[in-house]
Each structure stands twice: as structure tokens, then as C-alpha cells.
Amino acid sequence: MRYSLLSLVRQAFRGHRGWAPAWRDPEPRPQYDVIVIGGGGHGLATAYYLAKNHGITRVAVLEKSYIGSGNAGRNTTIIRSNYLLPGNEPFYEHSMKLWEGLEQDLNYNAMVSQRGVLNLFHADAQRDAAARRGNAMRMHGVDAELLDENAVRRMAPFLDFDNARFPIRGGLLQPRGGTARHDAVVWGYARAADSLGVDIIQNCEVTGFVRQAGRVVGVETSRGEIRAPKIGMAVAGNTSRVASMAGLRLPIERHVLQAFVSEAIKPLIPGVITFGAGHFYISQSDKGSLVFGGDLDGYNSYAQRGNLAAVEHVLEEGMAILPMIGRVRLLRSWGGIMDMSMDGSPIIDHTPVEGLYLDAGWCYGGFKATPASGWCFAHLLAKDEPHEVARAYRLDRFERGHLIDEKGQGATPNLH
Ligand SMILES: Cc1cc2nc3c(=O)[nH]c(=O)nc-3n(C[C@H](O)[C@H](O)[C@H](O)COP(=O)(O)OP(=O)(O)OC[C@H]3O[C@@H](n4cnc5c(N)ncnc54)[C@H](O)[C@@H]3O)c2cc1C
């Protein structure tokens, strides 16, 4: 069933009783060509591109809860491609281009809104770093504008420019960055994958791997054994746990990241704004709520909830650039489990176990990567070779020392 103005009008005349479910609820079959573990954005996008780009439609997405119940439905929805390093920039720009055509491709309103992402800087050295990153982006053909203080004042006059500790000196703007509606991205990919024949199987937890002659040939699940010659893991914060079922130890730690939403207020914040002297970012949802977040809680955990210390830290950083948020009431906060890699960059690769493939290490930046991650993971699963924009995301880079350390701070996953 295609969504269009005509179908909306037609349904309106029928009292909206004719809408078909957006995806089926199939029983798992015993055998598929590919199994994707994890019904978040990445797993569903992978299944969709397997079917669409490679014609592989005997695909199952196995999700232990409901689709989007993990980080895909918990993130603060920022999309951007403002990276410095050559290992990252082409991949994230590929993702940005896919975002730009996503709604037409999926025939689904994912509320992609390119309202700009502005990274503030507060000191000369930070200006230099921002200029360097902006130049690197432009050399890759990506939009970037270095704004001085006056330009930022015109764009966001409500910021505290003269804060004694963190005065705002300017910012690096990516005008094509912005936000997208996270749930709609999950639902859009699910519906489009389902329409190409992919089975989306919810409430189906993978509890082990079936192995034959050393290779993985299937999974044990809460709904029985399911077999496939190729199995892709896209389980984000649960990566280490699922990988350990196949006997793998990965260079990934899990940490909690919290997000916050305020009561709705009139339109104030034009795009996404980030604090440069710490980790705080804010945008305003279409409903009017301020959506913001900051640093990880800083300890390893599988709990999808955070602690008060991080709440205080985030709010203090917010107050440093935007004192007026002290008068806004907080409505909700929640946490998600991040798969923090040792250099802050992701992994899309084979694992040492034959038949098992890995898409992980997204840290707190994986929402923006959803389309490209699905695209490149599907390419790897279909062709057994990495996609050209994901060539750097090898698992063995941690052994070889070819890290993609965007922040240049080494193996400190709690800080990336
Ligand atoms: C608070 C917060 C804010 C964030 N903000 C941003 C942002 O602004 N921009 C950005 O780019 N990124 C952001 N992120 C990061 C982003 O959300 C993640 O990197 C990305 O969603 C991870 O990929 P995913 O969508 O596939 O993960 P998930 O949605 O977590 O999908 C993994 C799925 O695997 C399932 N699963 C786990 N174990 C099993 C099993 N054994 N069997 C079957 N299924 C299993 C889980 O239930 C889950 O649904 C944020 C994350 C959080 C928590």
C-alpha cells in the first residue's frame, strides 16, 4: 500500500478504516539466506538494502523486543556529516546523501529536517581545530561554514556570548545537518523491507549460535532454531553480549548515555547547537520540546537508565551557554546503552568466526549513520567485501594500529 495524498483522501472518506498494517507479523521460517540480529535502525536498513540493492529477499530480522526498542528509539535524532578524518568523512557523507532522498525512497515521512548543526567554539585553539575540520569537510565536497561571533549572534541571539568562563567566539556550521524522526526511520525501513519480502520477527531473542565445522550456520532463539549461511549482528549496546555467545571478545565497552526532553515552548532554537567546551547539544522538536543531552554516565552498564551525576553535569553545561533553560521544566529523561569502540569509530566487517558478520561500535553517533550502515553492511553480507566508503572500518585495525581516532584521544571509550 503506497502512501500518498490520494490514499490519505481516499481513507479519510472511509473513516480511516482501510489502512493495512505497515508490516507483517510472520512466523520464523527454519531457513533463510541471511539473518540479521537486531531490529534497530541499522538491522532494518541492512535488510532493506539487502533486498533492494542485491535482490536477497530471504532475509529475517530477529528482534528480542519490539523494533526500535533500543537506541534507535532513544536517541536525540541528530544527523550530520561534519567529520575530520578520511576514514570517516566519505562514509558519513554517503549517509547524509541517503538521508536526503530517504523519504522518497521509503515512501515514508521520516521528518528529515536539514535545519543546520552548529558547533560552537570558545577559544583560539578551538577556532583553529574547527577551521581544520571545516577545510577537511570541504575537501571532501561537504558543506561547512566557519562563523565568527557576530554571525553566531545573528543566528542564535539567545546564547550567553559573554559567559566569563566559556565566551562564545564563533562556530562551525554544517547547513545540511539537522534532525530526523527516529521512530519514523525505524518504521519506514521496516515497512519498506517487509514489502520486499523480508521477515521482521519481533519478540525473538537470539540466545546462542548453531555451529558446524567451526562456522556459524544458524541461531538459537526464544522461538526456536533458525538457520542461515550468513548471519549479521547489528545489536548496538548488546554487541559484546551477543558476540560472546560465539566465543568472541571485541574491543567494545558498553556505557549509558542519557537524553532529556523539556515541556514544549514556542519556536526558539533554529537548528542543532553544541557547546564546544564540554559535551552538550540541544535542538527543538517539531512539537516545541527542547531535546538535549551530553556526556556518557562513564561507567560500564547494560541498564537502560542513567544516574543523577550525569544529569547535573549535562544541565550545568546547558546553563553555561543557554541560561534560559534553567526556567524550562524537564518532562522526561531516559538512557540507552552505547557500544563504545576503542577509537570512537565503528566496525563493519567479517568476524574471525566464519559466517558471522559485525556491524557495531557506533558509540553515540550511530543514528546519523543508519542509512549508510545498512547500505554498507548489506554490501558486505552480499558480496563478502567491504563497501568503498566503509573500507576503514575493519575489526583488525585495533591490532594493526590503524585507528580512526576522530578526537585524537586514544583508547578512552568513556570519553569518545
Ligand atoms: C540518549 C541517546 C542519544 C543519542 N543521540 C544520537 C544522535 O543525536 N545522533 C546520532 O547519530 N546517534 C545518537 N545516538 C546513538 C544511536 O542511537 C545509536 O548509535 C544507533 O541507534 C545504534 O544502532 P541501532 O539503531 O541499530 O541500535 P538499536 O536500536 O539499539 O538496535 C539494536 C537492537 O538489537 C536488539 N537486540 C539486542 N540483543 C539481541 C538479541 N540477543 N536478540 C535479538 N535482538 C537483540 C535490541 O533489542 C535492539 O532493538 C544516541 C543514543 C542514545 C542512547
Side-chain angles (χ1 to χ4, degrees):
M1 182 181 218
R2 279 196 70 76
Y3 296 158
S4 65
L5 184 61
L6 195 66
S7 64
L8 191 64
V9 172
R10 207 178 286 139
Q11 290 299 334
F13 280 112
R14 290 192 205 156
H16 291 286
R17 265 174 258 127
W19 294 111
W23 54 88
R24 297 162 296 128
D25 184 18
E27 280 302 312
R29 285 185 261 163
Q31 176 88 33
Y32 290 91
D33 291 337
V34 179
I35 289 172
V36 179
I37 312 173
H42 292 223
L44 291 162
T46 303
Y48 171 63
Y49 293 120
L50 272 171
K52 185 186 167 220
N53 294 356
H54 305 283
I56 302 173
T57 55
R58 277 176 26 106
V59 177
V61 178
L62 308 182
E63 167 53 49
K64 72 172 175 177
S65 178
Y66 59 90
I67 57 170
S69 56
N71 293 338
R74 291 165 183 268
N75 68 75
T76 39
T77 77
I78 298 167
I79 60 174
R80 58 185 172 87
S81 60
N82 54 358
Y83 282 72
L84 171 72
L85 298 180
N88 277 328
E89 185 58 20
F91 174 84
Y92 285 99
E93 180 55 15
H94 183 57
S95 211
M96 186 55 87
K97 293 211 171 83
L98 290 172
W99 281 115
E100 287 172 332
L102 191 74
E103 293 166 322
Q104 289 70 25
D105 185 24
L106 299 182
N107 179 230
Y108 203 89
N109 182 6
M111 294 167 71
V112 176
S113 171
Q114 293 178 285
R115 50 182 88 171
V117 172
L118 175 66
N119 302 144
L120 299 174
F121 53 77
H122 310 266
D124 289 349
Q126 280 193 319
R127 181 190 287 114
D128 290 350
R132 193 164 66 239
R133 183 150 55 97
N135 285 335
M137 290 165 66
R138 285 180 162 223
M139 283 166 71
H140 280 105
V142 179
D143 58 319
E145 289 172 29
L146 195 68
L147 304 186
D148 64 12
E149 184 183 328
N150 284 335
V152 177
R153 274 186 194 269
R154 281 194 295 278
M155 204 177 151
F158 46 83
L159 294 173
D160 184 4
F161 286 84
D162 303 315
N163 182 294
R165 206 161 159 214
F166 306 114
I168 296 168
R169 297 289 183 235
L172 181 66
L173 175 71
Q174 185 183 20
R176 284 164 62 241
T179 56
R181 169 85 200 273
H182 50 4
D183 299 317
V185 173
V186 170
W187 301 330
Y189 271 119
R191 174 172 166 271
D194 175 271
S195 73
L196 295 176
V198 169
D199 283 357
I200 296 165
I201 302 167
Q202 305 184 75
N203 299 311
C204 181
E205 179 167 5
V206 170
T207 53
F209 289 95
V210 184
R211 298 178 84 141
Q212 246 169 31
R215 63 171 296 148
V216 159
V217 293
V219 288
E220 290 152 13
T221 79
S222 51
R223 294 174 67 172
E225 189 178 296
I226 309 173
R227 292 201 168 215
K230 290 185 175 181
I231 298 171
M233 280 171 52
V235 293
N238 284 279
T239 298
S240 305
R241 194 142 61 178
V242 176
S244 72
M245 296 174 196
L248 290 174
R249 270 195 89 205
L250 297 174
I252 284 177
E253 279 185 13
R254 58 240 61 88
H255 286 266
V256 183
L257 180 68
Q258 300 191 59
F260 307 87
V261 165
S262 79
E263 63 186 331
I265 58 173
K266 287 185 180 171
L268 173 76
I269 299 184
V272 178
I273 299 179
T274 73
F275 178 46
H279 195 176
F280 173 84
Y281 55 92
I282 188 162
S283 63
Q284 189 165 13
S285 76
D286 292 334
K287 281 193 290 188
S289 300
L290 301 181
V291 181
F292 54 96
D295 267 325
L296 298 169
D297 272 40
Y299 48 85
N300 299 134
S301 174
Y302 279 114
Q304 288 182 317
R305 60 175 184 275
N307 216 310
L308 278 174
V311 177
E312 192 180 3
H313 183 63
V314 169
L315 295 179
E316 274 174 358
E317 290 188 305
M319 291 290 286
I321 53 164
L322 203 65
M324 68 92 189
I325 62 164
R327 298 177 61 192
V328 174
R329 274 170 295 192
L330 202 60
L331 276 194
R332 292 190 301 278
S333 72
W334 62 88
I337 317 163
M338 319 312 313
D339 41 335
M340 305 300 295
S341 66
M342 293 296 139
D343 59 1
S345 296
I347 300 159
I348 304 178
D349 203 357
H350 303 91
T351 71
V353 180
E354 219 183 317
L356 185 61
Y357 300 73
L358 179 66
D359 178 295
W362 294 101
C363 303
Y364 34 53
F367 177 65
K368 70 176 93 65
T370 305
S373 166
W375 186 284
C376 295
F377 199 32
H379 186 280
L380 176 73
L381 283 159
K383 297 188 182 294
D384 265 313
E385 58 186 45
H387 189 277
E388 60 178 320
V389 298
R391 268 187 206 290
Y393 296 153
R394 299 276 304 275
L395 178 56
D396 68 359
R397 71 177 186 267
F398 301 96
E399 277 171 39
R400 291 181 290 114
H402 289 176
L403 302 183
I404 315 164
D405 188 357
E406 189 75 29
K407 288 195 179 168
Q409 57 194 18
T412 49
N414 53 321
L415 299 177
H416 275 298

